[in-house]
Structure formats: C-alpha cells, structure tokens
Amino acid sequence: MDSTIDALKQDVFERNLNEPEYHQAVAEVLDSLGPVLEQHPEYLDHDIIHRLCEPERQIIFRVPWRDDRGQVHINRGYRVEFNSALGPYKGGLRFHPSVNLGIVKFLGFEQIFKNALTGLPIGGGKGGANFDPRGRSDTEIMAFCQSFMTELYRHIGEYTDVPAGDIGVGTREIGYLFGQYKRITNRFEAGAFTGKGLNWGGSLVRTEATGYGTIYFAREQLGTMGETLDGKRVSISGAGNVALYAIEKAQALGARVVTASDSSGCVYDPDGIDLELLKQVKEIERGRIRDYADRRGPRVEFHARITDVWDVPTDIALPCATQNELDGQSARALINNGVKVVAEGANMPCTPEAAQLLRAAKHVLFGPAKAVNSGGVATSALEMQQNASRDSWDFAYTESRLEEIMVSVHERVRATASRYGDPNDYVLGANIAAFTKVVDAMIAQGLV
Ligand code: NDP
C-alpha cells in the first residue's frame, strides 16, 4: 500500500509544483490512509484520491485599490473552491503578505476534512489575498475589501460558497466585504458570510469559537488520562483571535497560561497572562507583544525569538499563530519538559518533523488542527442555521452546541483511530474519519 500512496503523492506534487505547504498538507493526509485503503481497496477504484486533491475550481484575480495618498496598489486575490461533496464551499479569507496559491490550497484542503469532522453539511474552500493590513488606515482597509469583493461576489452565495475570516480578516473586514456584496447584489443575504457583526446577522460565540473549541478538545484529551485543566500550566503562541479566546477559556477552567506571542516575539508571564491587558494591547491598540511585557511588570520576560515560547516547562502546548511555527527542535524541548497534550489551534502549525515526534512520543497526546480547531467553522455553520431560520440564539445555548460538537469530534476521532490502529493516534483517526465521509459522498454523487 505504501508504494501506491507514494505514487499518488508524487503525482499530486508534480501537478502542483512550487507549492510546498500544499504538498505538506496532502502528504499528512495520504500518509495516514494506508489502513483504510487496505480494508477498503474499492476506494482506489474510483481514482477518488486524485479527484480529492484537485480543487473543483480555483479563482485568481486582480485587486486594484488606492491608498490614502492616492497611490495605486495591485494585489492578487484567491478563492479555491475545493470540494462541495458535503455542502457549499465553506472556509475563511486570509489577508497576509505571505498568501499565495499554494497556501490557499493547503488551507482549503485541510478545510474539507475539518468541515467533515464537524458532522455539519459544509464543503471545503479557502481564499484571501497577499495584502498586508498592518499599518493600513481604516479607509484603506475598506478600499481594499470593496475592490476584493467587486470580483469575489460573482462566485459566492448562501448555497454556493460561504467565506468567513482568518488571519488579517476579522469582523471589521467582514463588515466591509459584506457591505459591498450587499450593494452589488442588492440582496441582504446573511447566509453568504459568517463571522458577521452581532446586530447584522452574526452569531454569539463565533468570535470565541475557535479558541474555546480548542480548549474543549484539549480538555477531552486530558480526560482520557483521567486529568483536568485545573491547575495545569499552558503555553500558547499567537495573540490573535484563536489565541486570545483559548487563553480566556483555559483560565476559566482553572489553568495558568504562561505565554503568548506575535510575529515580533513572545512573552513568558510566570504569574499567568493578564488577558485584559493583552486584549487591550493586541485587539484595541493593535500594538506589539513587547508592549504587554513593558506594561505588565518586571517578572514578565520578552523574547525576540518566537520559538522560545516552546522552551518553558508546560503541561499543555497550544500553537495558535500560524503554519510551521513549531519545529522539530521545539517538539523535542516540549517532550523533554514533560508536555502531556499538544493541540493545534492554528492550521498546520507543526512542521512534519514536529508532528511526527509528538505523535510518536509516549505520554503525549497530539491533536491535529483539523479536529482541534474545528469549533470555529462549526460555529459558522451554526450562524448559517440561525440565518436560514431568521433566528438568533443566546450565548449559553450556542456555546453548549459548540461544546457538544467538540466532544463529538473528539469521540469520532478516537473511535476511528481505535478501529484502524491506536486510539491515541488522533492524526490517523481525524484523517480517516473525514476521508471516508467525504469520499463516500463523492462516490455517491458520481463522476463530477
Ligand atoms: P489573527 O490574525 O487574529 O492572529 C494571528 C496571530 O498569529 C497574531 O498574533 C500574529 O501576530 C501571529 N503570527 C502571525 N504570523 C506569525 C509568525 N510567523 N510567527 C508568530 N506569530 C505569528 O488570526 P487567527 O487567530 O484568526 O488565526 C490563527 C491561526 O488559526 C491561523 O492558522 C488560522 O488559519 C487558524 N484558524 C483560525 C480560525 C478562526 O476562527 N479565526 C479558525 C480555524 C483556524 P502579528 O499580530 O504580529 O501578525
């Protein structure tokens, strides 16, 4: 079976040259399919893996806009509509200078499986632009979003493709994108976007969902060892949407979170992160992580090397910033320092070497992103349900739905891992559970 999988991977790599992140995401899934392909060789009959790795549609477009000084800029926009076997394409938009087709494809590919794991009727897609929102004024952000949507609007809709936020795209950007969509289409089609503001069709808990869901998943992992979050030390990277709400929920469940970071460095706060101060610095002032250290007091350390975040002794490590931020050396440091759970809040934050080391380490439970951070998209699907029924649910009810979904994702992953190998192999369980769900639907829908 290994040689069949190697040949499939090689073929995907050759069709998609110079897209290392996409290759990495494909290899991570295909490498765990051996046990299911051995039990169900019929999956090889339909050439289903080639089809799964070829996006249904890839849209690349020009985004011209003018800055406050009147200078024209040209960015490149993307939307990869990867797989609609389970429902409309669903996945966020990322605005970051590093965005390119390979990154959008890696994110879109991951999204197919993540969405399948939630058990909700959503397909997979992703998009974005190589636009850097940092340092841009509000009018510049609006100008960019309006230009981006002037092309994207023709491809999206409640029943076709439903974007949301990701790095660099929060409620402010979704507002400008939605406003332009509404203006061009002359429709208040709330279900065409998720992550909307609360008074124009958004859902309570969507802002918190990915971070909270990450903690619920880590709590379930700890539960399999008979442990809880109470009194545990937690290391978190990032200081954006996922990280901030992971910190909030971890603290609410009694853990002490001792680190946070951004792209300019990290902080170690032995007394536990002061979340109000961190939110003030990062969310309101849009400042740098060093400002947190400067204002918090002398016991807090600032380190310019971002990976130092993984060098402190910790029980639980949650990479919540970006792809490939935790490498083999950091994984070794975590294992040597006695980490028990590593759960990926960000998408593909562990390098292949780090993931392999953590997966193989005894006494460490490694949760892959497509399961751990699926609470964000699951709550987006709850937002779509509320929009479709013209209803809005209260915080407690919506959070209870999120919690139920995370518990069931955890159970589904472990049950599948048990069936095909080791119950503690969350990578195996997540990949096989999602793969079988998606390809069964693809086969049922014929050669399309
Ligand atoms: P944000 O833009 O809100 O925050 C990203 C954070 O990561 C910022 O603190 C940013 O720092 C930091 N960061 C970016 N690049 C690096 C880097 N190279 N090294 C260290 N830190 C870095 O994004 P989100 O929190 O929304 O997303 C974080 C991750 O979670 C991404 O992988 C995203 O795809 C994933 N995710 C997000 C979901 C959501 O609902 N938001 C859902 C599922 C997954 P700086 O401010 O300096 O840029």
Side-chain angles (χ1 to χ4, degrees):
M1 195 51 73
D2 286 356
S3 60
T4 308
I5 290 175
D6 283 345
L8 284 164
K9 278 195 305 194
Q10 206 47 45
D11 184 73
V12 175
F13 297 168
E14 281 165 18
R15 274 168 186 256
N16 301 277
L17 294 173
N18 304 319
E19 296 179 354
E21 291 85 2
Y22 181 51
H23 297 185
Q24 187 180 332
V26 167
E28 196 257 359
V29 171
L30 267 51
D31 283 339
S32 46
L33 296 183
V36 70
L37 296 178
E38 257 152 33
Q39 283 191 28
H40 297 280
E42 66 275 15
Y43 285 138
L44 291 167
D45 295 344
H46 299 267
D47 215 4
I48 204 79
I49 294 176
H50 275 139
R51 260 202 285 157
L52 189 63
C53 296
E54 186 68 21
E56 290 177 17
R57 191 173 298 108
Q58 306 181 54
I59 304 145
I60 303 181
F61 51 98
R62 180 171 70 197
V63 188
W65 60 283
R66 217 179 268 282
D67 69 20
D68 289 345
R69 288 174 299 135
Q71 195 183 332
V72 170
H73 299 261
I74 308 293
N75 285 98
R76 188 171 287 179
Y78 302 88
R79 186 73 184 166
V80 172
E81 299 182 330
F82 223 119
N83 191 297
S84 62
L86 300 180
Y89 311 107
K90 178 88 199 84
L93 298 171
R94 175 176 292 191
F95 291 168
H96 192 272
S98 64
V99 167
N100 58 40
L101 184 60
I103 298 240
V104 178
K105 279 161 72 178
F106 120 63
L107 290 164
F109 188 72
E110 282 273 301
Q111 197 80 44
I112 305 168
F113 301 97
K114 178 183 314 193
N115 295 2
L117 284 177
T118 66
L120 297 164
I122 38 180
K126 199 84 187 188
N130 63 345
F131 168 69
D132 189 355
R134 261 193 297 171
R136 290 291 170 198
S137 71
D138 207 49
T139 46
E140 290 173 327
I141 299 282
M142 192 193 313
F144 180 81
C145 289
Q146 290 181 339
S147 181
F148 185 86
M149 187 48 63
T150 301
E151 171 58 33
L152 189 69
Y153 86 93
R154 66 189 92 244
H155 306 290
I156 64 172
E158 185 180 346
Y159 298 107
T160 45
D161 184 353
V162 184
D166 190 75
I167 292 180
V169 179
T171 313
R172 173 180 61 166
E173 291 75 19
I174 296 288
Y176 296 148
L177 293 162
F178 181 69
Q180 184 75 348
Y181 180 77
K182 187 165 64 72
R183 183 186 195 194
I184 297 174
T185 60
N186 193 28
R187 286 156 66 91
F188 193 103
E189 192 186 341
F193 283 87
T194 61
K196 299 181 294 295
L198 289 179
N199 58 354
W200 42 279
S203 172
L204 285 163
V205 192
R206 177 61 191 90
T207 304
E208 296 83 355
T210 310
Y212 279 19
T214 295
I215 298 300
Y216 285 133
F217 197 91
R219 181 194 69 184
E220 295 303 297
Q221 290 180 289
L222 278 172
T224 66
M225 309 172 184
E227 301 208 32
T228 69
L229 274 156
D230 195 27
K232 295 285 186 307
R233 274 169 69 92
V234 180
S235 298
I236 292 185
S237 63
N241 173 266
V242 180
L244 289 174
Y245 291 98
I247 295 172
E248 184 166 287
K249 184 54 80 181
Q251 290 180 340
L253 296 179
R256 181 188 296 189
V257 181
V258 292
T259 63
S261 67
D262 67 12
S263 55
S264 65
C266 63
V267 292
Y268 171 60
D269 188 341
D271 299 324
I273 293 286
D274 176 343
L275 186 59
E276 283 318 303
L277 177 60
L278 188 60
K279 280 187 177 172
Q280 174 67 29
V281 169
K282 293 299 298 181
E283 270 192 330
I284 297 169
E285 298 169 15
R286 294 181 189 262
R288 311 308 294 149
I289 197 83
R290 180 171 207 133
D291 303 337
Y292 172 88
D294 290 346
R295 276 148 72 175
R296 173 82 163 130
R299 277 172 58 77
V300 176
E301 294 168 21
F302 170 76
H303 296 238
R305 204 170 61 142
I306 301 163
T307 50
D308 283 1
V309 79
W310 310 122
D311 285 344
V312 296
T314 197
D315 299 306
I316 298 152
L318 306 174
C320 294
T322 193
Q323 64 270 6
N324 291 326
E325 52 160 315
L326 196 164
D327 63 10
Q329 196 181 336
S330 297
R332 279 186 209 95
L334 285 168
I335 294 166
N336 292 338
N337 277 328
V339 75
K340 293 178 173 147
V341 165
V342 179
E344 295 185 317
N347 283 317
M348 208 166 75
C350 293
T351 63
E353 187 193 7
Q356 202 178 6
L357 287 165
L358 292 165
R359 200 174 158 193
K362 288 199 168 55
H363 316 300
V364 178
L365 291 183
F366 173 62
K370 53 176 78 70
V372 174
N373 70 27
S374 59
V377 75
T379 309
S380 279
L382 300 182
E383 183 174 333
M384 290 161 74
Q385 281 185 30
Q386 292 169 76
N387 294 149
S389 59
R390 304 209 186 288
D391 195 1
S392 60
W393 306 338
D394 67 23
F395 196 97
Y397 175 71
T398 316
E399 193 186 350
S400 71
R401 293 284 309 267
L402 166 66
E403 188 177 355
E404 269 167 30
I405 291 168
M406 294 317 297
V407 170
S408 73
V409 171
H410 181 265
E411 275 172 13
R412 194 168 298 138
V413 167
R414 277 188 73 89
T416 310
S418 239
R419 182 163 160 216
Y420 288 97
D422 169 4
N424 290 332
D425 190 344
Y426 286 78
V427 172
L428 185 84
N431 286 338
I432 295 184
F435 170 82
T436 50
K437 182 155 189 194
V438 174
V439 299
D440 285 347
M442 287 173 72
I443 293 167
Q445 291 167 23
L447 186 59
V448 293

